[in-house]
Amino acid sequence: MLSRQESELLAASMDIDRADKMVENVVGRLVLPLGIGANFLIDGQQHLIPMAIEEPSVVAGVSSGALLARAGGGFRTGSSEPVMIAQIQLLDVPDAAEAERAIFAARAQILAAADKSPTLSQLGGGPKGLEVRHLPDTQAGAMLVVHLFIDCHDAMGANAVNTAAEAAAPLLEKLSRGRAGLRILSNLSDRRRAWAQVEIPAKAFDSEEFHGAETVERIAEANAFAVADPYRAATHNKGIFNGIDAVLLATGNDWRAVEAGAHAWAARDGRYRALTDWQLRSRGGSTSLYGRLELPLAVGVVGGATRSHPTAQLALRILQPLGEGGKSASVIGAERLSRIIAAVGLAQNLAALRALTTTGIQEGHMRLHARQMAVTAGAEGEAVERVAAALVAEKEIRVERARELLREYKAQDLKERAGELRP
Ligand code: MEV
């Protein structure tokens, strides 16, 4: 699927000169593994998922979650318009009600003043509406906050939104007879959401050790736990972000922005909760597991690191539906990307809940962790698997033990070679 040039690009990643132009005081580069999440069927299209992550089991987990979802016809996804919020804080406003009236009366003028991105306007995006929020009782007294709604199209839009906020502020000051404070986007981009859902027959969860019907019941119970308890919800949502952040990183998107928005969204009713919903459904005597994930997902495929990072563009190409990869060099749109990412989050969560409600999370983790310990101990090539297998068999995954096993393996290997050389 990848050309030779693209494979070389993946191996080389970013050179130091390019890194030096991205941020300040550059002294090096940090390379992460880029894995491929497999088995994804999303709205009837097959996708490979590029994932940049340091944690073992995540890529294997998401692929197993996606495989389960296939038994239910794959993921169905959707999204709202790509609308971001610019916030303008207004202080020392003499009459808040009067200011609100004046702002609404001058709505068209304000949106025109905020319209500073010709590229967005040409694409049909840009400022589309506004709202006024009253904060009558803050630590610094009363404030008015004006939200501008900016359609960001294929961009994440941080620059366009911040520019719009700064451009509209002088007019808002005049209209409110107040003073503009902060002029910045909100990362709680709750108008720019994506969702994914899936319904999987319980029998798809059957295994040698566990009945599918029992497993899906336990998964629904596990989700109920995370909806009710913030301590569990934090871990549950962290697992979702194992997958989501990995795709955001691979595609050069701002994962801190998405995390901040999603966690604020998870606490929108005043209590921090699970971002997912998993429920049992019964139809015609058979049980299935229904799951849904919805969250704010402000992502872009143009601008920022999506353009300047050499492998981010390639990651976006890998994300094209299978079968279309060879046809064009274009990348997928931001809206499709957000929907794929929602499906990845749901698959990751499903895999974690299945493991947690059956064998436990440590078994799978142990094998991969053992490999890492073997490598840390200095093992190379075949020795990695041999040392890792011995660590798992002993259920003792420590680097000191890996070093001992490596010494034994090397001694044994030497003996065998000497034996081969003997006439
Ligand atoms: C580990 O990185 C993620 C999990 O803790 C998620 C969860 O508990 O749902 C396994």
Side-chain angles (χ1 to χ4, degrees):
M1 188 186 85
L2 295 179
S3 68
R4 202 169 127 210
Q5 207 183 8
E6 287 171 333
S7 305
E8 280 169 9
L9 178 61
L10 274 183
S13 190
M14 190 195 306
D15 62 40
I16 195 85
D17 287 341
R18 175 99 58 138
D20 196 38
K21 290 190 180 63
M22 281 179 87
V23 301
E24 308 75 39
N25 303 344
V26 168
V27 293
R29 294 148 301 158
L30 177 75
V31 180
L32 284 177
L34 185 75
I36 296 288
N39 305 324
F40 275 85
L41 183 61
I42 304 173
D43 304 315
Q45 293 185 309
Q46 308 208 53
H47 290 273
L48 294 173
I49 313 291
M51 302 174 79
I53 183 134
E54 87 298 344
E55 184 175 327
S57 297
V58 169
V59 177
V62 86
S63 306
S64 72
L67 189 61
L68 275 171
R70 271 185 181 248
F75 298 96
R76 281 160 292 120
T77 67
S79 66
S80 55
E81 300 283 300
V83 171
M84 299 289 286
I85 298 169
Q87 292 197 294
I88 299 108
Q89 175 199 30
L90 295 169
L91 303 115
D92 305 332
V93 174
D95 183 336
E98 179 50 36
E100 181 171 350
R101 269 193 296 277
I103 288 168
F104 275 111
R107 182 180 177 280
Q109 243 180 301
I110 298 165
L111 297 183
D115 194 357
K116 289 282 170 215
S117 168
T119 325
L120 265 189
S121 309
Q122 274 161 22
L123 293 167
K128 296 289 174 207
L130 58 80
E131 71 180 357
V132 177
R133 294 173 58 240
H134 294 257
L135 301 180
D137 192 20
T138 79
Q139 288 175 345
M143 296 172 193
L144 270 194
V145 183
V146 176
H147 283 183
L148 304 178
F149 305 133
I150 321 274
D151 182 332
C152 291
H153 222 264
D154 267 338
M156 185 276 191
N159 279 331
V161 174
N162 295 339
T163 304
E166 290 184 7
L171 178 56
L172 290 168
E173 281 186 319
K174 215 157 101 191
L175 292 163
S176 65
R177 292 187 290 136
R179 166 174 66 88
L182 302 191
R183 300 146 297 160
I184 184 81
L185 91 171
S186 170
N187 283 125
L188 176 50
S189 49
D190 57 1
R191 289 175 173 253
R192 192 177 193 178
R193 300 194 307 277
W195 51 88
Q197 46 195 26
V198 69
E199 189 169 339
I200 310 167
K203 59 177 164 31
F205 291 80
D206 279 340
S207 70
E208 274 180 24
E209 288 167 274
F210 299 94
H211 282 300
E214 218 173 285
T215 302
V216 293
E217 237 173 80
R218 289 182 185 180
I219 289 175
E221 285 168 2
N223 197 80
F225 178 16
V227 170
D229 177 22
Y231 286 90
R232 173 57 205 155
T235 324
H236 180 101
N237 290 344
K238 186 272 181 185
I240 294 171
F241 276 96
N242 276 343
I244 290 183
D245 283 349
V247 185
L248 294 171
L249 256 174
T251 55
N253 272 288
D254 184 345
W255 52 272
R256 285 91 53 214
V258 174
E259 286 247 9
H263 293 302
W265 168 257
R268 64 194 177 283
D269 70 359
R271 191 179 182 88
Y272 185 80
R273 297 182 191 282
L275 286 162
T276 51
D277 179 25
W278 289 104
Q279 289 175 20
L280 298 184
R281 286 200 173 158
S282 286
R283 215 174 287 124
S286 61
T287 305
S288 61
L289 180 70
Y290 166 81
R292 180 182 167 88
L293 168 65
E294 177 166 351
L295 71 166
L297 259 165
V299 294
V301 297
V302 293
T306 52
R307 271 283 149 82
S308 59
H309 197 293
T311 51
Q313 281 291 306
L314 186 47
L316 289 169
R317 268 237 320 114
I318 293 172
L319 276 165
Q320 281 181 301
L322 285 183
E324 292 178 21
K327 281 192 195 156
S328 81
S330 69
V331 296
I332 59 164
E335 193 233 338
R336 182 75 190 151
L337 176 61
S338 71
R339 291 164 58 163
I340 291 172
I341 291 175
V344 169
L346 193 58
Q348 198 77 60
N349 179 242
L350 176 61
L353 294 187
R354 187 190 195 187
L356 286 165
T357 54
T358 54
T359 51
I361 208 78
Q362 284 311 93
E363 201 177 281
H365 260 283
M366 225 161 59
R367 234 167 292 129
L368 290 155
H369 184 50
R371 271 212 225 147
Q372 270 186 352
M373 288 300 104
V375 171
T376 309
E380 284 174 3
E382 198 197 326
V384 177
E385 294 308 327
R386 295 277 286 270
V387 170
L391 289 170
V392 171
E394 292 177 1
K395 292 196 165 44
E396 198 188 342
I397 321 286
R398 290 183 308 113
V399 71
E400 296 79 16
R401 182 63 188 137
R403 285 201 188 100
E404 285 167 17
L405 286 164
L406 183 62
R407 272 196 297 274
E408 285 167 24
Y409 169 81
K410 281 182 176 165
Q412 180 68 24
D413 195 41
L414 264 181
K415 251 197 228 160
E416 279 167 18
R417 285 198 203 175
E420 278 166 23
L421 287 177
R422 223 168 274 141

